[in-house]
Amino acid sequence: MARIVKDGEIAGYSDDKGNRIIGVPAFADRFEVSFAGSNNELHIGQRANLTNTRILFDSSNSKVSIGDHSIYRGVIRASHGGCVHIGKRLVVTLNCYISAFEGQTVTIGDDCMFATNNEIRTDDAHPIFDRRTGARLNKSKSVTIGNHVWLAAQTAVWKGADIGDGCMIGRNSFVNSAIPPHCLAAGTPASVIREEIVWDRTHLGMTAPYAYAHSSELPKPVWGDAPSTTAEEPPPVGKPSNVLFGWIRRYRTAAAMAALIAAYLLADEVMAIAEIMYP
């Protein structure tokens, strides 16, 4: 029979079957851990927030780790040597389901953002066999999600998926293969729609100035953004004042800022001289 460990019993938990919990969440509400086997381990990082969360060890020899400053809401299941490793600063909006069975691993990088009702699995939950030979057809496979990956609502990431750093996966997509870094992918099965993208956690409509035409307008650099000196990246556009402050956000050293301000103040004089020399 499974042993249920709830909020107030988490700190320092261990039992006679070798199951243990290392660390405690900074905030926990309706959080519980179930141990049905032996030699299972849960590691909770610093400042983790676990709300409406159940972690289920259905058999033995499995590990689950949740990184520092991560916010998880949902279910994690690990069984028969399956492992789940979640990096730092993951944010789950609601109802994420992760399962790692049959010795396979789900690996999630740092700084990821998952929307509502996402499902991540190394398995199909039930076995399928060839009717004539009896051979197993749907073997479990590990799943890898890189750093700074955004999963939109109701996205399923299935066995064999390998999502590169900086990707965004569209709503209701089904991913079961490799997606290169910095790609926008969507569909069933998911395919690449656009390459060389970056995304930011800034919430449109909730963060001033509430609209953005260029990444330079964000209060801090975008994760994984290309260097501003590349030829492909257009300079800030718009009103002269917006252009000035856009460049200031890019080049934050005191010397660079001073030079930009001086150039801006002299711009009218330079234009006047140009008009005289080249009427």
Side-chain angles (χ1 to χ4, degrees), residues 44-218:
I44 302 171
Q46 297 180 7
R47 307 297 300 169
N49 180 324
L50 303 174
T51 302
N52 289 332
T53 295
R54 292 188 300 150
I55 299 178
L56 310 175
F57 293 96
D58 295 320
S59 61
S60 302
N61 303 313
S62 292
K63 293 184 178 181
V64 173
S65 61
I66 300 172
D68 297 347
H69 301 276
S70 286
I71 301 173
Y72 192 86
R73 300 179 177 95
V75 175
I76 299 174
R77 302 189 80 147
S79 177
H80 194 60
C83 297
V84 176
H85 300 300
I86 296 173
K88 301 175 182 178
R89 299 179 302 280
L90 167 69
V91 175
V92 172
T93 301
L94 194 65
N95 294 338
C96 186
Y97 181 92
I98 300 175
S99 71
F101 295 167
E102 297 188 307
Q104 304 304 305
T105 300
V106 172
T107 303
I108 299 170
D110 296 338
D111 199 45
C112 290
M113 185 172 71
F114 297 171
T116 302
N117 296 330
N118 295 134
E119 190 170 1
I120 303 166
R121 308 186 68 121
T122 65
D123 57 277
D124 296 322
H126 307 285
I128 302 173
F129 303 98
D130 185 286
R131 183 180 179 187
R132 293 164 297 181
T133 67
R136 173 79 176 274
L137 299 178
N138 63 336
K139 293 182 179 179
S140 298
K141 299 178 183 178
S142 292
V143 170
T144 301
I145 298 175
N147 298 311
H148 195 70
V149 171
W150 172 12
L151 302 182
Q154 299 177 354
T155 292
V157 181
W158 230 248
K159 59 183 186 178
D162 186 355
I163 302 175
D165 294 348
C167 285
M168 189 274 162
I169 309 299
R171 183 185 177 95
N172 291 321
S173 295
F174 179 82
V175 185
N176 63 350
S177 61
I179 304 295
H182 294 288
C183 285
L184 170 62
T188 302
S191 59
V192 174
I193 295 174
R194 181 159 184 156
E195 300 176 346
E196 293 301 320
I197 64 104
V198 293
W199 63 270
D200 189 75
R201 289 178 183 268
T202 301
H203 198 299
L204 300 175
M206 295 177 65
T207 308
Y210 312 110
Y212 302 89
H214 192 275
S215 62
S216 64
E217 298 172 357
L218 292 166

